[in-house]
Amino acid sequence: MALLLLLSGGNQALFLLLHHAGAVLPAPLWRFLSMLGEWSLVIAALLLLAQRRPQLLPALVAAVLLGIGSAILLKAAFAVPRPFLVLPAGSVQLLDVLPANGAFPSGHAMASALLAGVLAGVLAQGRRWWWQAGLMALVLLVCWSRIAIGVHWPLDVLVGAALGWVIARVCVRRQWPAWPRTWTPQLLRGLGLVLLLYSGWKLWRQPPNEAYVLFNLLALLAALQLLRPMKNGA
């Protein structure tokens, strides 16, 4: 689909169609959906999963580093301008803060698909088909939210979601060297402390809207859970 959009030149037309169709839902709802692709919240969810399944920590760390690293490199390499900066004035209603970096690929789409790919590979095995369908539906809603907000092209979210899903499935299926068991609790607490400080700093900086407050609060609560002492291995 991404290749078809690129070759047919329909990227802008599809953006305008999906962007204006998003007007049926209020702006706060799109911002709440978009926060499911915030890297700090996705990392918090993955760390909580690693706290329950410590053997997954090397795979999850590798997936996050690959995801963030590839997003940064591709954004810098392509430097695609955001729709709000390209299309005629008045054709795009910006519903959130305009990011300063490039549009391609979408980091939110990548992060949400990476989380969905990990959950599908770890928790959805043996479950009914609707479990994985639900994960994919959430990823699609995050992708649409980035278009509805006015900060990404359809090509951005399609490629971002595909990359996030592939990275997650490759990292989860790969056999990683076993880490010393004593490393995992200490590393989780260290990462939890970093997450706590980062989320607290984001909240202290007067977040621009309600979605920023909510996802940073959730990340902060996850960090506190990571820092709690575990008793009897529970």
Side-chain angles (χ1 to χ4, degrees), residues 209-220:
N209 55 55
E210 66 290 328
Y212 276 71
V213 173
L214 180 57
F215 85 75
N216 280 297
L217 279 175
L218 290 174
L220 190 146

Side-chain angles (χ1 to χ4, degrees), residues 90-172:
S91 60
V92 180
Q93 184 180 7
L94 189 65
L95 304 181
D96 203 344
V97 177
L98 184 67
N101 54 2
F104 180 87
S106 167
H108 283 71
M110 183 182 294
S112 62
L114 188 147
L115 177 59
V118 169
L119 295 178
V122 174
L123 301 180
Q125 291 182 356
R127 296 177 183 264
R128 295 183 177 179
W129 63 269
W130 52 262
W131 215 92
Q132 293 199 30
L135 291 174
M136 293 304 299
L138 282 176
V139 174
L140 290 175
L141 285 173
V142 172
C143 291
W144 190 7
S145 75
R146 302 307 287 167
I147 297 173
I149 285 172
V151 294
H152 276 296
W153 305 100
L155 190 62
D156 304 336
V157 297
L158 286 172
V159 174
L163 286 174
W165 183 267
V166 169
I167 289 172
R169 299 313 293 266
V170 169
C171 289
V172 168

Side-chain angles (χ1 to χ4, degrees), residues 223-234:
L224 291 174
Q225 173 63 26
L226 291 167
L227 291 172
R228 286 181 60 190
M230 307 299 283
K231 295 181 180 179
N232 299 325

Side-chain angles (χ1 to χ4, degrees), residues 1 10 17 25 39 111 161:
M1 188 180 292
L17 176 66
L25 297 178
W39 276 110

